Every structure is written in C-alpha cells, then in structure tokens.
C-alpha cells in the first residue's frame, strides 16, 4: 500500500525485502510470546504477564530492527535500481511490522482482557532442555566454518569469471516482437533444448494488444541462434527482431561495486550502533558473523555450479539483514543476563541465554525457511537461484548466531583481557554514581 501510494516499483530484490519483513514480523511476535510463556511459568497473572512480556521483549525487537534499518538506510542512500528497491520495501516493512507487533497485538490483548475474553493462555514447549553447552563446541564450530570459508574462496578462485552471470560479463541483447504471447518459461525451455542457457528473459509492456515483446540477454554471439531457434519452434508467432546489440558488463559491475560499498558502510553503522547499545565486543561478534554468513552462502552457491547475477545482490542483502537480526536477539538476552546479576561465568551466562532463545530461533528460522523452500519448489527457474541462496543463508545465519557470534564475543573480551560483565554493567551504573 505504501509503495503504491508513493509510486515505487516492485523489483525482485524488493520482494526479497518483503520476505525478510515477513520473517522479522514473525520474529517480533515470537519474542513477545516466548517472554509471555516465561512470565506465566513464574506464576504471574495474565495481565501482569502480558505487560511484562511486552516490556522485556521491546529492547530485543527495537535493537534488531534498528540495526537492520541502518543497513537499509545506507543501501537506499547509495544504492540504485534493485538495491534501492530492496531498501525501500525493507524499510517500509520493518516500520509496519514493528507497529503491528508492538501496538496492534498489544491492543488486541487489552481488548480481550477488558471484555473478559482471555482467561488463560497455554503454549507448547518446543525446546524443553535448556542445558546444552553451545560454547563448549565453539572450537569444532569455528574450525568447520574456517574450512567452509577456505573452500568458498578456493571455489571463487577456480571458477573465476565462469562463476559470473551475463549481468557482470556482458552479452547480446535482443528485443523480439511476436504475434503470440510467449511466456518466459516457454522461451527458456525452448532455448535450453538447443543448448542455450544463462539467459535473462523479461516480457516488455506493449501498447498494441496484438503485439508482444520479449527482452532477452544472452551470451555473446548467440543472438542469431536464438532467433533461428525460436522461429523454428513457433512458426506461427511471426517473431521479428526489433533491436539487437551487444551489452557490456559495466552497469552490472558498477551496481555490484556500489552494493558492496553500501554493505561495507552498513557494517560500520552496525558496528557503531551495537557498540553504543551493547559493547564493542558484541559489535565485533555481530560483524564477523555477518561476514561469515555472506562468504559461506556465496561459496556454497558457487560450489553447486550456479552463476552470480544481479538478483543475487538482493539475496545477499536479505541474508545480511536476517543474520544481524538473529544475532542481536541472542545478544540482547546475554546483556539482560549480565545486567540482572546472574551468577556464573560469562560462558555459562552465554550458554543459558542461547538456550533460552533457542525455541524462538527455531520457530523464526523454521517459518521463514518454510516460506523460502516453498518459493524454491514452486517459484520456477527465474526464482530458483534466488530462493536457493536465501535457504542456504537462513541455515548458515541461524548456525552463526548460535555457534559463531557469541564465541567471537567471548574471544574478543579475553583478547582485550577485560571483563564483559563490567563492560556491560558500567554504562548503566555511571549515571547513578554521578
């Protein structure tokens, strides 16, 4: 609705922003309901438990969404084309989902309580065991991640330019006119039978009802073969060439460079915000986990023989946003444990915090993964690479939030020979002493 109001164009990376918004909207509600269950388990009444749940979940929802908004704002500022489309939909979606989770659902609960329609709440305990030693497995996890990172970098080195789509390498551009309305899938399948792959096909709008246009980008020197094959396959379509030219890779390269630059600035923004809201140790853990997710996801994509295209820019940005959101939620629980004066070592508190948020992590990741697997199965060949990347990214991002981000925080604190507990508590105690 907002995009229609301001005449924004919905692009494929824009749809990626909407998908990420769905995941984050689910996450905000899950965070509130997980807190509600904890408060009810403590024996509190429904009204008191609801008030406490919203109050305690607010910081995690706020920090996770603002961190993602920082990235979206920088992408909108520096990006162009599909990157800007991603930033717009993500920004609008985050604001809308925060409003829905924090205000709409809160009022819904109040109305139910006011009219005496809500007397008890029962919830399934998805994860009952809360004693798994996640940080005790950190050496195994980090070793496995390093192996995957090295394999990813080697895969890029071996494949070289063959890992890049025509968006980055350039190719032939064809604008075809046809009397028959041919779908992208029809054309793609027909050309694939003749061995012509690595295509970008898009139907163009037409002012005439009896003429249909197809824009095709293909590898260099394949234009004549494409036209001949389509004329043979569809003899009654009266296919003719309106435009044929060679397209260089400069546009794709510039967009990729701008996207990387924007992503880099976004990381600096995240580093600054997380340092203010948490501590530098947490910021370092969040950034390393984000870089870890991007490299491994791209590496697995290339290792499976796929080609990196501009659509992948949207997928990688989606993964980055999802990864940082997931990590911040766990960090918020760790910070709460340290502020509350919970007994035990830093590693013990971190393990308890990860276990306490594990049910939420599985629910949020599982539901978002379900959406993306559906898109992978039913989305067709155009969305196959995009959805495959998001599926891998969600799995890797969930893994890194648990097994990589927190161990990096612990390692960084030990490297500085400092105390994470005193670093986190000090900012709140200082004003009180003043």
């Amino acid at each position: 609705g907002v995009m229609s109001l301001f005449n924004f164009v919905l692009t494929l990376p824009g749809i990626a922003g909407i998908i990420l918004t769905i995941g984050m909207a689910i996450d905000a509600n899950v965070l509130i309901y997980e807190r509600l269950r904890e408060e009810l388990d403590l024996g509190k009444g429904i009204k008191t438990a609801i008030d406490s749940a919203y109050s305690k979940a607010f910081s995690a929802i706020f920090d996770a969404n603002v961190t993602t908004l920082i990235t979206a704002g920088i992408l909108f500022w520096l990006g162009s084309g599909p990157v800007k489309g991603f930033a717009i939909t993500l920004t609008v979606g985050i604001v809308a989902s925060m409003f829905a989770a924090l205000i709409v659902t809160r009022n819904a609960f109040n109305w139910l309580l006011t009219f005496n329609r809500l007397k008890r709440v029962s919830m399934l305990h998805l994860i009952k065991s809360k004693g798994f030693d996640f940080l005790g497995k950190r050496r195994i996890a980090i070793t496995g991640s390093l192996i995957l990172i090295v394999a990813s970098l080697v895969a890029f080195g071996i494949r070289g330019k063959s890992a890049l789509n025509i968006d980055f390498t350039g190719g032939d551009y064809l604008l075809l006119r046809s009397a028959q309305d041919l779908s992208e899938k029809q054309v793609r399948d027909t050309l694939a039978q003749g061995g012509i792959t690595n295509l970008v096909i898009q139907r163009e709008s037409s002012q005439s009802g009896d003429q249909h246009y197809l824009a095709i980008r293909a590898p260099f020197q394949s234009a004549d073969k494409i036209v001949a094959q389509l004329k043979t396959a569809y003899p009654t379509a009266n296919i003719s060439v309106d435009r044929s030219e060679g397209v260089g890779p400069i546009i794709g390269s510039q967009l990729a460079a701008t996207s990387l630059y924007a992503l880099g600035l976004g990381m600096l923004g995240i580093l600054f915000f997380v340092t203010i809201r948490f501590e530098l140790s947490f910021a370092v853990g969040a950034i390393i986990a984000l870089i870890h997710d991007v490299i491994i996801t791209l590496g697995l994509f290339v290792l499976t023989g796929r080609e990196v295209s501009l659509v992948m820019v949207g997928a990688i940005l989606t993964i980055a946003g999802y990864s940082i959101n997931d990590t911040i939620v766990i960090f918020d629980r760790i910070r709460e444990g340290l502020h509350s004066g919970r007994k035990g070592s830093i590693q013990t508190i971190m393990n308890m915090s990860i276990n306490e948020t594990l049910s939420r992590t599985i629910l949020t990741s599982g539901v978002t993964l379900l959406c993306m697997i559906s898109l992978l199965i039913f989305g067709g060949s155009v969305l196959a690479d995009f959805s495959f990347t998001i599926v891998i990214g969600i799995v890797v991002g969930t893994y890194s939030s648990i097994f990589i981000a927190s161990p990096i925080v612990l390692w960084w604190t030990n490297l500085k020979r400092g105390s994470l507990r005193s670093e986190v508590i000090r900012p709140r105690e200082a004003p009180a002493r003043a």
Side-chain angles (χ1 to χ4, degrees), residues 169-199:
T169 59
D172 288 345
Y173 174 82
L174 279 169
L175 181 62
L176 302 180
R177 186 194 309 173
S178 170
Q180 182 179 340
D181 188 11
L182 301 174
S183 69
E184 292 97 326
K185 186 178 186 306
Q186 279 180 291
V187 174
R188 191 182 301 277
D189 291 344
T190 300
L191 294 176
Q193 293 173 7
I196 304 174
T197 56
N198 190 14
L199 302 168

Side-chain angles (χ1 to χ4, degrees), residues 106-125:
R106 180 69 177 268
N107 279 288
F109 271 119
N110 287 338
W111 292 335
L112 289 170
L113 290 169
T114 300
F115 293 105
N116 201 28
R117 297 294 182 182
L118 183 65
K119 297 181 179 178
R120 64 185 297 270
V121 176
S122 58
M123 300 187 190
L124 170 69
H125 282 267

Side-chain angles (χ1 to χ4, degrees), residues 32-53 56 109 118-123 125:
I32 293 167
Y33 299 151
E34 285 287 336
R35 287 289 192 173
L36 177 58
R37 177 166 56 193
E38 291 175 9
E39 297 300 309
L40 291 172
D41 287 345
L42 293 174
K44 295 182 179 180
I46 289 183
K47 188 178 187 313
T48 305
I50 290 173
D51 290 340
S52 183
K56 289 184 175 180
F109 271 119
L118 183 65
K119 297 181 179 178
R120 64 185 297 270
V121 176
S122 58
M123 300 187 190
H125 282 267

Side-chain angles (χ1 to χ4, degrees), residues 1 18 106 148 150 176-177 260 333 353 372 376:
I18 293 176
R106 180 69 177 268
L148 282 175
V150 171
L176 302 180
R177 186 194 309 173
L260 289 173
R333 186 59 74 102
S353 299
M372 294 314 305
L376 178 62

